[in-house]
Amino acid sequence: MGSVTSDHPGIIELYGALACGEITAFYRLADEAKFAPHLYGRVAIARMAGSEMRHYELLHSAITERGRDPFEVMAPFIDVLDAYHRSTTPSTWPETLVKAYIGDGIAADFYLEISSAFPSDVAAVVQGVLAETHHSEFVKDEVRSIVDGDTIAADRLRLWARRLFGEALTQAQFVLGQRDDLAELVLSASGDLNHIATLFDSMQAKHDERMKLLGL
Amino acid sequence: MGSVTSDHPGIIELYGALACGEITAFYRLADEAKFAPHLYGRVAIARMAGSEMRHYELLHSAITERGRDPFEVMAPFIDVLDAYHRSTTPSTWPETLVKAYIGDGIAADFYLEISSAFPSDVAAVVQGVLAETHHSEFVKDEVRSIVDGDTIAADRLRLWARRLFGEALTQAQFVLGQRDDLAELVLSASGDLNHIATLFDSMQAKHDERMKLLGL
């Protein structure tokens, strides 16, 4: 692991990417909740989306504390996040649940892995934003009950989760190729290029664990 | 003004109506944000929807503290709230803004007027849920800039706001006609039928003030 100073120009880009991610996730969750077969599911998704907005407020404050405009800082990340969501639009309730759980998990793994190299003020923001919420318990229970004894449903969701993971990595690499400061931040945080490979291996391992928790 | 004891059976119905209102408003805001012409507007609406979910969490706790299931308690209010939103679906960004501001305001006036007769624990929940957020400042500024010097836009929005007020009252009366405990709560809180008339007059006066704040 490397280390990063508090004035690294990639930090504000990281905040922008995270903040834009919260807003995009908020709207996607709200839209995808249309598949919920019951009020309980609609409320659970709304509460997850509410958590995204609490996290957004943290980032909004962290960005303005650095004297920057949140909208300007978020703008470069809108298209790539939209592209991720467009290419992973669920068409069923189980797909919606798996996406909410797996997508959030992949993002959290990535940011938490690199945050250990951050100065404490930045690490606190990132960890506060990515703290897992109790709502994901609901997703685990719901998905497990759907795939229990239904191998066709389980196989479909396994493919779906693989696609989510692949798309997330594709878009992450695209962003790092475009945003020099952010790429330099990830490189500094990881130590060197070899450690970036280790980072992606570790994300794959955590993704596999998460799939097991879903019964997939 | 009358008074209401903490064990009045209408209180749990009031919480159910409020909680269901937050969830419904959450999804409507998220959907109606599609009219936002800029990222700033999308974020402002998402933050308003985030506030609805913070309020929902307060009500969820208040309902479970009374030993009741939030979903069962909310269920009777889904159809009427959906009916209100279906009959007041905005088709432009200014209509979306006016609805968010005026609709929230009408509900807040109603609940705050009756809450002064509530025992302190219940009044605290209701007032916490209806506390105005700083986000409505954004709506005021945005609407004022839209109608400034544009009398046609202003006239249209004035009609729109009148329809919102009329629909809200129609649906409120429908609910009170169906939910005996809730109707009895409102009656007890108001004192008597004459005071209910006063309550509606006061709501009209506050609605008019709010229209002035929007420049309408």
Side-chain angles (χ1 to χ4, degrees):
Chain A
M1 268 289 161
S3 82
V4 169
T5 54
S6 199
D7 60 353
H8 193 293
I11 289 172
I12 197 75
E13 293 209 325
L14 180 77
Y15 286 171
L18 280 165
C20 195
E22 301 293 352
I23 296 292
T24 318
F26 166 86
Y27 278 113
R28 284 293 163 156
L29 281 171
D31 182 49
E32 292 164 9
K34 60 179 177 277
F35 295 117
H38 37 56
L39 177 63
Y40 188 79
R42 275 178 75 76
V43 171
I45 296 283
R47 295 175 86 182
M48 290 169 77
S51 305
E52 309 281 4
M53 290 314 296
R54 275 195 298 280
H55 297 159
Y56 172 80
E57 298 295 341
L58 283 179
L59 291 159
H60 189 98
S61 301
I63 293 168
T64 51
E65 273 162 24
R66 285 181 171 245
R68 297 291 298 274
D69 172 39
F71 303 98
E72 189 197 301
V73 169
M74 283 191 280
F77 302 101
I78 298 174
D79 287 348
V80 67
L81 284 159
D82 275 348
Y84 166 73
H85 286 292
R86 258 200 317 275
S87 65
T88 58
T89 302
S91 53
T92 64
W93 176 233
E95 286 182 2
T96 299
L97 293 170
V98 169
K99 179 177 173 184
Y101 187 75
I102 294 286
D104 260 23
I106 296 168
D109 287 344
F110 175 73
Y111 291 117
L112 289 177
E113 283 276 338
I114 59 173
S115 77
S116 55
F118 289 171
S120 59
D121 59 322
V122 179
V125 171
V126 173
Q127 284 157 16
V129 164
L130 299 170
E132 267 211 70
T133 66
H134 60 282
H135 308 310
S136 51
E137 288 303 314
F138 152 77
V139 174
K140 265 186 275 187
D141 294 346
E142 187 93 352
V143 173
R144 290 184 82 102
S145 79
I146 288 166
V147 300
D148 184 35
D150 186 342
T151 53
I152 294 175
D155 283 345
R156 275 201 196 125
L157 289 176
R158 229 172 265 129
L159 283 175
W160 172 244
R162 192 179 299 168
R163 193 164 124 209
L164 294 171
F165 190 75
E167 274 298 325
L169 255 56
T170 301
Q171 300 299 343
Q173 283 161 355
F174 180 75
V175 169
L176 293 177
Q178 288 206 313
R179 310 299 305 175
D180 290 345
D181 290 341
L182 189 59
E184 217 292 309
L185 178 75
V186 173
L187 196 62
S188 299
S190 307
D192 56 34
L193 276 173
N194 283 335
H195 284 92
I196 288 193
T198 316
L199 166 70
F200 284 117
D201 287 347
S202 159
M203 286 173 65
Q204 177 75 60
K206 287 193 178 161
H207 172 71
D208 294 343
E209 278 170 39
R210 205 171 278 118
M211 293 293 284
K212 283 202 195 89
L213 289 174
L214 291 177
L216 291 173
Chain B
M1 270 287 161
S3 82
V4 170
T5 56
S6 199
D7 60 352
H8 192 295
I11 289 171
I12 197 75
E13 293 208 325
L14 179 77
Y15 286 171
L18 278 165
C20 195
E22 301 292 353
I23 296 291
T24 318
F26 165 85
Y27 278 113
R28 284 293 164 157
L29 281 171
D31 182 49
E32 291 164 9
K34 62 178 175 273
F35 296 117
H38 37 55
L39 177 63
Y40 188 79
R42 275 178 75 76
V43 172
I45 296 283
R47 296 176 86 182
M48 290 170 79
S51 304
E52 309 281 3
M53 290 313 298
R54 274 195 298 282
H55 297 157
Y56 172 80
E57 298 295 340
L58 283 179
L59 291 159
H60 189 98
S61 301
I63 293 168
T64 51
E65 271 162 26
R66 286 181 171 244
R68 297 292 297 275
D69 172 40
F71 303 99
E72 189 197 303
V73 169
M74 282 191 279
F77 302 101
I78 298 173
D79 287 349
V80 67
L81 284 160
D82 275 347
Y84 166 73
H85 285 291
R86 257 200 317 275
S87 65
T88 58
T89 300
S91 52
T92 64
W93 176 233
E95 284 182 2
T96 299
L97 292 169
V98 168
K99 180 176 171 185
Y101 187 76
I102 293 286
D104 260 24
I106 296 167
D109 287 344
F110 175 74
Y111 291 117
L112 289 176
E113 283 276 338
I114 61 174
S115 77
S116 55
F118 290 170
S120 59
D121 60 322
V122 179
V125 171
V126 173
Q127 284 156 15
V129 164
L130 299 172
E132 268 211 70
T133 66
H134 59 282
H135 309 309
S136 51
E137 288 303 314
F138 152 77
V139 174
K140 263 185 278 187
D141 294 345
E142 187 93 352
V143 174
R144 292 183 81 103
S145 79
I146 289 166
V147 299
D148 183 36
D150 185 342
T151 54
I152 294 175
D155 283 346
R156 276 201 195 125
L157 289 176
R158 228 171 265 127
L159 283 175
W160 171 244
R162 192 179 298 168
R163 194 165 122 210
L164 294 170
F165 190 74
E167 274 300 324
L169 256 56
T170 302
Q171 299 299 343
Q173 283 162 355
F174 179 76
V175 169
L176 294 177
Q178 287 206 315
R179 310 299 306 176
D180 290 346
D181 289 341
L182 188 58
E184 217 292 309
L185 179 75
V186 173
L187 197 61
S188 298
S190 308
D192 57 34
L193 277 174
N194 282 335
H195 284 93
I196 288 192
T198 315
L199 166 70
F200 284 116
D201 287 348
S202 159
M203 286 174 66
Q204 176 75 61
K206 286 190 178 162
H207 172 71
D208 294 343
E209 278 170 38
R210 206 171 278 118
M211 293 292 284
K212 282 203 195 88
L213 289 175
L214 290 177
L216 292 172

